[in-house]
Amino acid sequence: MLAANWKMNLNLHEASELFDGFLETLPAQESNRYVIFAPYVFLPQLSLYNSSIELGAQNFYPAEKGAYTGEISISQLKELHVKAVLIGHSERRIHFSESNELIKQKVDCALAHEVKVVFCCGESLEIRDSNEHLHFINEQLKDSLFHVSKENILNCSIAYEPIWAIGTGRTASCEQIEEMHSSIRSSIANQYDQTTAQSVAILYGGSCNSKNAKDIFSCPNVDGGLIGGASLTTEEFSLIAHQLN
Ligand code: 13P
């Protein structure tokens, strides 16, 4: 699975061109799942493409409707053929003070509407330096994700994105990634069961690019990537896609 998080980048023309480029260059293997998390305002245009690339939204508010000025509901996104949502990204936790409780409500709301979830988790450098990273990520999962049923966890993917590696050009080492991903896999197995744990995709995100993707994707417990900066050009993203196992 490979996902692009365009964040607050591009204009409509650039977004359409990039999407066209992805359609032309991403390897069309049925086993590969591609999701593009585009800014809201590009979704109407991108939803006109009837493609195998899934449309995703970077955010939504977990209420059905009502007096929430400036917010967007899941039902409104579904009208634009949005199939997946990003929940718990560190940029939303940090810049918009999203709590574990709000993140949990978002998970429930998305799943109730049969929209797939990409659940992000990640630790700060301070937490890693104090050697609390495995425990911290396990708590993030327990607080906001592991309350869902076994049936529903299969509609979720988990993206491990160490905060210190996002947009910094500093990628986690394969040892660091594998340690965390295998710990996440064990946590899923403990909470649910081994078969379920094998079925949940665990993605890595944080300065992943065409040069380091091969090594990252070859880690046994890495099932793909969530790509920020390197998803903003067709060439980079497609080079990354060609390195998926
Ligand atoms: P970068 O790939 O730009 O480091 O961003 C990762 C990310 O935050 C994806 O959600």
Side-chain angles (χ1 to χ4, degrees), residues 60 62 87 101-115 117 144-145 147-149 152:
F60 66 99
I87 300 181
E101 179 53 34
L102 178 70
I103 291 167
K104 182 179 180 185
Q105 286 172 23
K106 286 177 148 193
V107 167
D108 289 337
C109 180
L111 294 171
H113 286 85
E114 297 180 344
V115 171
V117 169
S144 311
L145 184 66
H147 62 285
V148 309
S149 67
N152 264 333

Side-chain angles (χ1 to χ4, degrees), residues 5 7 86 89 91 161 165-168 205-208 226-230:
N5 178 7
K7 306 191 181 183
L86 210 50
H89 195 286
E91 287 155 14
E161 301 201 306
I166 295 178
T168 58
S207 298
C208 182
L226 175 56
I227 317 296

Side-chain angles (χ1 to χ4, degrees), residues 162-225:
I163 296 169
W164 45 273
I166 295 178
T168 58
R170 179 179 166 188
T171 321
S173 69
C174 287
E175 292 72 29
Q176 289 172 321
I177 296 172
E178 183 52 26
E179 179 196 42
M180 183 60 79
H181 281 226
S182 69
S183 162
I184 293 172
R185 186 92 63 204
S186 303
S187 301
I188 308 171
N190 287 339
Q191 185 70 28
Y192 300 94
D193 57 50
Q194 198 62 46
T195 319
T196 306
Q198 291 306 327
S199 306
V200 174
I202 308 176
L203 314 178
Y204 171 78
S207 298
C208 182
N209 57 41
S210 62
K211 298 202 170 56
N212 57 31
K214 194 174 184 352
D215 287 343
I216 294 171
F217 296 160
S218 64
C219 298
N221 280 293
V222 172
D223 302 311

Side-chain angles (χ1 to χ4, degrees), residues 24-74:
E24 277 167 28
T25 57
L26 296 185
Q29 280 173 29
E30 247 176 61
S31 55
N32 286 4
R33 178 180 170 209
Y34 301 115
V35 190
I36 309 298
F37 291 101
Y40 286 146
V41 290
F42 304 154
L43 294 171
Q45 171 76 20
L46 300 180
S47 70
L48 299 176
Y49 292 78
N50 189 13
S51 84
S52 59
I53 299 178
E54 280 174 43
L55 269 193
Q58 297 172 20
N59 190 31
F60 66 99
Y61 190 71
E64 294 307 313
K65 60 177 181 172
Y68 300 98
T69 302
E71 295 300 323
I72 305 283
S73 74
I74 275 278

